[in-house]
Amino acid sequence: MAPAFFIMKEMNEKQPKPNLKLTPLVEEHDEVVLFCERIREGLQNGIDDKRIKAYVDWFKTAYLDPHFEMEQTLVFPILGNTNVRTRRALANHRRLDRLFAKTTDLHKTLHKIEEELTSFIGFEERILYNEIRGLATPEQWQEIEKGHQDLEFNDAEWTDRFWEETKN
């Protein structure tokens, strides 16, 4: 039997090299995952739903809307509007927009926002982005790179850091 070093080396050589073209979008998803964790922590710690909703609305405007717009104008067109996964992603964007716009039954709505976003990110990263990676032409990658502006997320201006509060 081969020593572990050689087995690991062999396994590493067989692993495909990551396609870094969509890395900025995936990194932006990391910010959304953190956002979802903050919603979850706020709900678990009994923070007033209105405080959480104010943060949710700010995050949507400052970060999520520009992210969705970039996906819709630069990334999804690679698959085309009739592609079933593109249609699913666009439907998810619309469903999330409706949830964010809701002002009643906030507690339940905040739970749904957190759950829907978490699930949707998984779909985009595991399924949608992988298909895009396989189909995009060098010219399309160039267009994405040229048109993509990294969304600099900075929540320092948000002073109500409810997620740092502990449960009473």
Side-chain angles (χ1 to χ4, degrees), residues 44-82:
Q44 289 173 349
N45 289 334
I47 302 299
D48 181 37
D49 294 338
K50 291 178 183 167
R51 288 176 62 195
I52 300 171
K53 175 69 167 136
Y55 177 67
V56 164
D57 290 344
W58 171 82
F59 185 89
K60 180 183 184 297
T61 301
Y63 195 74
L64 206 54
D65 285 345
H67 177 81
F68 282 179
E69 183 179 336
M70 188 208 354
E71 286 180 327
Q72 292 170 10
T73 58
L74 298 176
V75 180
F76 297 167
I78 292 169
L79 298 178
N81 290 334
T82 59

Side-chain angles (χ1 to χ4, degrees), residues 112-128:
K112 283 187 175 186
I113 288 170
E114 182 269 325
E115 290 169 359
E116 291 277 336
L117 268 173
T118 301
S119 173
F120 182 51
I121 288 169
F123 161 73
E124 280 193 343
E125 290 184 2
R126 285 188 317 274
I127 298 169
L128 187 70

Side-chain angles (χ1 to χ4, degrees), residues 10 14-15 22 36 51 88 103 107 134 153 157-158 161:
E10 215 172 272
K14 291 179 183 177
Q15 295 293 324
L22 291 175
C36 290
R51 288 176 62 195
R88 177 177 170 188
T103 57
H107 196 77
F153 180 70
E157 69 183 68
W158 189 260
R161 304 181 83 72

Side-chain angles (χ1 to χ4, degrees), residues 5-16:
F5 167 77
F6 292 111
I7 293 171
M8 291 303 294
K9 183 178 182 209
E10 215 172 272
M11 286 175 59
N12 287 337
E13 287 173 358
K14 291 179 183 177
Q15 295 293 324

